[in-house]
Amino acid sequence: KEKEFLEAVNLYKKEKFRDAFKKFLKLSNMGDKQSQYNLSILMFKGKGFPQNFKKSYYWSLSSKLYGELKSDSIIEKSISKLSDAEILEVNEELKSNLEKVASSGNIHAIVPLAKWHMVVPKKPDFGKSYKWLSVASAFNIKNTKAARDKIFKKLKKESISSIQDEANEAYEEIVNNKKAILNKGDNL
């Protein structure tokens, strides 16, 4: 992964933007926050492609949710060029894509999905974030137990059992899809 990232950076430096884009896109879809950030820059500046502020916002927000600290600047620059409706559209598209990726068995999307519910809506959705942090914790993803327990304190008692049921369903779906992916590899 690191080798491929360095190849993409070198392609960018050589101004082979479309080739760099392809490598960054592949890595971005695997959850690489630096590649997502670099895609957002390519889209914002229009290098190798016409400028696309929606895609720039999508990838910069994704990189932030994956933990890239530099993303805020490009997020602000991108959203300043978009309408409120476009921002909402991109927000929902990213959430939907993270859900699909996580549900398909790729656990790298679980924590960003939990973060999405805390930072993207105007009012944080503690229940949804707790659900996804519970799933992440079940997979023993680093630091998720403490985050889950912190958010738990903000939930209403009446909603906890149903959220935990949703978390169990999501967890089982991910486990089953991970098994299917592994079994599919056995058949090749």
Side-chain angles (χ1 to χ4, degrees):
K1 204 165 137 178
E2 189 176 326
K3 181 183 173 196
E4 201 162 0
F5 177 80
L6 292 174
E7 287 173 14
V9 169
N10 285 331
L11 288 166
Y12 180 89
K13 288 177 181 175
K14 293 177 184 174
E15 297 188 3
K16 295 182 178 183
F17 300 120
R18 292 185 69 80
D19 293 332
F21 172 87
K22 289 175 190 174
K23 288 197 179 288
F24 285 138
L25 181 62
K26 178 184 174 189
L27 293 167
S28 293
N29 287 327
M30 295 166 53
D32 185 81
K33 65 186 178 187
Q34 291 176 304
S35 293
Q36 293 170 347
Y37 176 77
N38 287 341
L39 273 183
S40 72
I41 299 294
L42 284 169
M43 296 286 100
F44 188 84
K45 291 183 175 181
K47 295 204 175 208
F49 296 89
Q51 279 184 313
N52 190 317
F53 300 125
K54 283 172 64 175
K55 286 184 181 180
S56 177
Y57 174 55
Y58 177 96
W59 287 113
S60 58
L61 179 58
S62 184
S63 72
K64 177 181 176 136
L65 297 175
Y66 273 90
E68 180 56 61
L69 301 176
K70 300 183 290 190
S71 298
D72 286 335
S73 172
I74 194 77
I75 288 171
E76 292 303 317
K77 289 176 184 176
S78 297
I79 62 174
S80 73
K81 312 247 187 251
L82 300 173
S83 70
D84 290 345
E86 289 171 319
I87 293 167
L88 279 174
E89 177 188 333
V90 172
N91 289 345
E92 290 303 313
E93 179 186 0
L94 180 56
K95 179 180 79 167
S96 176
N97 288 342
L98 287 170
E99 287 171 343
K100 286 178 197 166
V101 170
S103 296
S104 72
N106 294 297
I107 63 171
H108 67 77
I110 298 172
V111 173
L113 187 53
K115 286 181 181 179
W116 187 98
H117 289 286
M118 293 300 292
V119 300
V120 175
K122 288 188 192 315
K123 184 179 174 191
D125 187 335
F126 297 112
K128 295 286 187 200
S129 187
Y130 173 79
K131 168 190 166 179
W132 289 109
L133 286 170
S134 293
V135 172
S137 183
F139 282 110
N140 204 28
I141 297 173
K142 189 177 178 180
N143 300 323
T144 56
K145 184 184 180 304
R148 178 202 63 196
D149 293 348
K150 186 177 179 182
I151 288 175
F152 173 82
K153 296 173 184 172
K154 298 184 182 285
L155 299 176
K156 294 180 178 156
K157 285 184 181 180
E158 309 83 52
S159 63
I160 293 171
S161 290
S162 64
I163 295 168
Q164 289 174 336
D165 289 343
E166 287 179 34
N168 271 322
E169 288 174 25
Y171 176 79
E172 289 302 322
E173 181 181 9
I174 293 167
V175 167
N176 290 333
N177 286 331
K178 281 179 69 86
K179 285 180 187 174
I181 290 168
L182 292 173
N183 290 337
K184 194 176 190 180
D186 291 344
N187 296 330
L188 296 178

